[in-house]
Amino acid sequence: ASTVWNAFTGGGGRFHVGHWSAEPGVRAVAYDETELCVLLAGRVRLEGPDGAAEFGPGDAFVIEGGFVGTWESIGQVTKIYAILEPAP
């Protein structure tokens, strides 16, 4: 399960900033949007066709639109996000 607290939406509804929290688990993801993540707690492992990367508290990373793979929340994960959705 996950919880989203969206704090801001702008840019014609294409830009979002907020706070996200999730319980441990693996989920399949397919990103149309580009997302900046700043981890506050927990660890995340992203795995896609080009390999895997792991991030922990204090790490900032970008997931580019077009990424397809898995997102693994290792422990309770909390992040701040900034999302830019693609133009229509």
Side-chain angles (χ1 to χ4, degrees):
S2 64
T3 305
V4 176
W5 299 276
N6 195 67
F8 175 81
T9 296
R14 293 181 47 226
F15 182 67
H16 312 279
V17 177
H19 187 262
W20 180 88
S21 183
E23 296 176 7
V26 179
R27 58 181 47 89
V29 294
Y31 277 73
D32 290 331
E33 69 277 13
T34 296
E35 179 179 4
L36 167 68
C37 302
V38 180
L39 286 186
L40 303 177
R43 295 195 67 77
V44 168
R45 178 180 167 82
L46 294 174
E47 188 164 351
D50 296 332
E54 195 169 309
F55 305 95
D59 288 342
F61 56 96
V62 171
I63 303 170
E64 292 189 56
F67 174 78
V68 175
T70 58
W71 170 292
E72 180 180 3
S73 294
I74 303 167
Q76 183 74 27
V77 170
T78 303
K79 71 177 178 180
I80 293 172
Y81 64 83
I83 294 172
L84 180 61
E85 295 180 10

